[in-house]
Amino acid sequence: MKKILAGLALATIAITGVASAQDSPFALQIGARKGVMDYRQLQLITLGQMAKGEVEYNAEAAQKAADNVVASAMLDQSMLWPQGSDSDSNIESRAMASIWAEGSDIGAKGKAFAEAAMAMQAAAGVDLASLQAAMGPLGETCVACHKDYRAPAN
Amino acid sequence: MKKILAGLALATIAITGVASAQDSPFALQIGARKGVMDYRQLQLITLGQMAKGEVEYNAEAAQKAADNVVASAMLDQSMLWPQGSDSDSNIESRAMASIWAEGSDIGAKGKAFAEAAMAMQAAAGVDLASLQAAMGPLGETCVACHKDYRAPAN
């Protein structure tokens, strides 16, 4: 029991200290959301550079980037989008309140992204033409959501 | 071909605009790293609150949080830690340069975290005592890495 309590104390040290230094009560949720977007962007840059011929096509690297996009789409993010964590109430966020409003189609847009990511996963390692063909539809799902639900940068 | 080019243009719009507004050439890598840490912290808070009795034990919620920790440990993060993305060179980062230095045991520490996360995954849904017993070792792997490789907050 003593060992468990000591362990819990250590765990408490490990998991505190970040939120208190930040502004919003949703700092961790918003930070994690933005981090997931940054992660996806890194993968899309890798894929996009090959698609545009800026970097030589490499089937293995393309497949890995596509796998990573899918992994990021599969990650459970249900806890990252609590009501009240929108850009109206949190200066760190660009997630518009309309995400949570009646009539929001954020779920459908998320599903479209996941499906386009899986199409990219099936295509990226085949050849350059397949990667290029999958890039547009994937980019469109990013744009569709950002256009409707991401507030302009400050 | 026209359609592919239009798609690529859209994809380019989707994946640009963030990095340019930030300071470091590694802004995306650092942002993604911090986001992954925030994500883990959210899961550990859920587990920790149950372990400490602040929130009633719920096997399903505990299992989900533990599954999420493991998913975050399994996510390919190899591209998130480029040489030069340390706290000496990047004000946004607290990742110490010693991570990349000779003799660094960051790989072993990451492996220890992943193993403790999997032990939590096996324990969290069983009962409260099992969750509590897995919490200490998991927290210790967080602390071990932060102690050696995370610079103090500014």
Side-chain angles (χ1 to χ4, degrees):
Chain A
M1 190 62 195
K2 211 178 220 175
K3 205 177 160 199
I4 287 176
L5 288 177
L8 289 181
L10 266 177
T12 302
I13 294 166
I15 65 181
T16 53
V18 173
S20 62
Q22 295 178 327
D23 300 321
S24 157
F26 302 113
L28 290 174
Q29 287 86 348
I30 293 168
R33 272 162 19 191
K34 293 171 95 164
V36 170
M37 295 295 181
D38 287 348
Y39 183 85
R40 290 176 182 166
Q41 194 173 347
L42 282 165
Q43 315 311 318
L44 286 169
I45 287 170
T46 296
L47 293 166
Q49 286 175 333
M50 289 189 211
K52 289 185 276 179
E54 293 168 5
V55 168
E56 197 182 351
Y57 175 72
N58 176 301
E60 197 183 338
Q63 187 64 59
K64 187 175 152 192
D67 289 348
N68 291 344
V69 177
V70 170
S72 82
M74 294 301 130
L75 196 66
D76 173 22
Q77 292 176 57
S78 54
M79 82 300 293
L80 299 187
W81 300 88
Q83 190 93 31
S85 64
D86 56 80
S87 61
D88 289 348
S89 309
N90 304 273
I91 196 166
E92 316 94 312
S93 180
R94 292 172 63 190
M96 290 167 71
S98 53
I99 289 171
W100 291 266
E102 205 176 316
S104 166
D105 68 343
I106 190 82
K109 285 194 158 66
K111 192 161 170 279
F113 167 69
E115 287 171 356
M118 287 186 281
M120 175 58 87
Q121 187 176 38
V126 178
D127 56 29
L128 178 57
S130 303
L131 186 161
Q132 286 174 325
M135 196 73 206
L138 178 55
E140 280 168 32
T141 66
C142 300
V143 171
C145 206
H146 290 170
K147 186 169 66 67
D148 284 359
Y149 295 120
R150 185 170 64 164
N154 292 318
Chain B
M1 190 60 196
K2 209 179 223 176
K3 204 173 161 203
I4 286 176
L5 288 177
L8 288 181
L10 267 178
T12 302
I13 293 166
I15 64 180
T16 52
V18 172
S20 60
Q22 294 177 326
D23 301 320
S24 157
F26 302 113
L28 290 175
Q29 288 85 347
I30 293 168
R33 273 162 18 191
K34 293 171 95 164
V36 169
M37 295 295 181
D38 286 348
Y39 183 84
R40 290 176 182 166
Q41 194 174 347
L42 281 166
Q43 315 311 319
L44 286 169
I45 287 171
T46 296
L47 294 166
Q49 285 175 333
M50 290 190 209
K52 289 185 275 179
E54 294 168 4
V55 168
E56 196 180 351
Y57 175 72
N58 176 300
E60 199 183 335
Q63 188 64 60
K64 188 176 150 189
D67 290 347
N68 291 343
V69 177
V70 170
S72 83
M74 294 301 129
L75 195 68
D76 173 22
Q77 293 176 57
S78 55
M79 82 299 294
L80 299 188
W81 301 88
Q83 190 92 32
S85 64
D86 56 81
S87 60
D88 289 350
S89 310
N90 304 272
I91 196 167
E92 317 93 310
S93 180
R94 293 171 63 191
M96 290 166 71
S98 52
I99 290 172
W100 291 267
E102 203 175 319
S104 167
D105 68 345
I106 190 81
K109 285 195 158 64
K111 192 160 169 278
F113 166 70
E115 287 171 355
M118 286 187 281
M120 175 59 87
Q121 186 175 39
V126 177
D127 56 28
L128 178 58
S130 302
L131 186 161
Q132 286 175 325
M135 195 75 207
L138 178 55
E140 281 168 32
T141 65
C142 300
V143 171
C145 206
H146 291 169
K147 186 169 65 68
D148 285 359
Y149 295 121
R150 185 170 63 164
N154 291 320

